[in-house]
Amino acid sequence: MNQRMGRMKLTIDEKSQAWFEEEMGVSKERGVRFLGKVYGCSPIHEGFSLAVEVDTPNNPFVSVEKNGITYFVETGDEWFFQGHDLDVVFDEKLKEPSYSYRAIQTA
């Protein structure tokens, strides 16, 4: 189930969720944090790319729980996603999660 805090939505598909558990060693105590990092490139920012790390939520801007694991963006990191939802979908060809950004639809 997705929690919506603010306006952003975060979705994780089941295969990506399983990949994070197997490959990154996440646990119920330490989830998956999504944030922007300096260097690289993304479809929504030049000079910044998406970072993914194992961390404990402190003050999540948005979060979703899958199989007891929290996936989240911390307050203070939301600038990177401003105006966008984040969809995490498993890429069968690359055998790892892929990340896509959807512009948030306003009513």
Side-chain angles (χ1 to χ4, degrees):
M1 172 184 256
N2 286 334
Q3 289 182 310
R4 289 195 69 128
M5 297 175 198
R7 304 188 79 185
M8 181 185 175
K9 184 176 178 184
L10 173 61
T11 59
I12 315 288
D13 73 358
E14 288 183 27
K15 286 187 176 184
S16 294
Q17 175 259 316
W19 185 92
F20 283 118
E21 286 186 34
E22 293 168 16
E23 299 296 326
M24 293 185 72
V26 296
S27 66
K28 289 184 166 94
E29 294 79 29
R30 294 176 45 87
V32 178
R33 178 180 179 185
F34 301 97
L35 65 154
K37 68 176 181 177
V38 178
Y39 302 115
C41 190
S42 74
I44 56 175
H45 288 289
E46 189 172 321
F48 294 91
S49 59
L50 180 69
V52 179
E53 62 185 29
V54 177
D55 200 357
T56 302
N58 181 36
N59 185 20
F61 176 74
V62 65
S63 66
V64 62
E65 189 175 300
K66 295 271 193 175
N67 200 29
I69 308 298
T70 303
Y71 298 83
F72 64 100
V73 173
E74 276 291 318
T75 299
D77 294 329
E78 76 274 10
W79 65 268
F80 181 80
F81 305 95
Q82 188 172 26
H84 295 85
D85 292 332
L86 177 63
D87 296 319
V88 183
V89 178
F90 195 77
D91 184 317
E92 292 291 345
K93 188 174 184 180
L94 297 175
K95 300 294 185 205
E96 64 184 30
S98 66
Y99 308 93
S100 62
Y101 308 91
R102 278 183 298 112
I104 294 173
Q105 301 298 314
T106 56

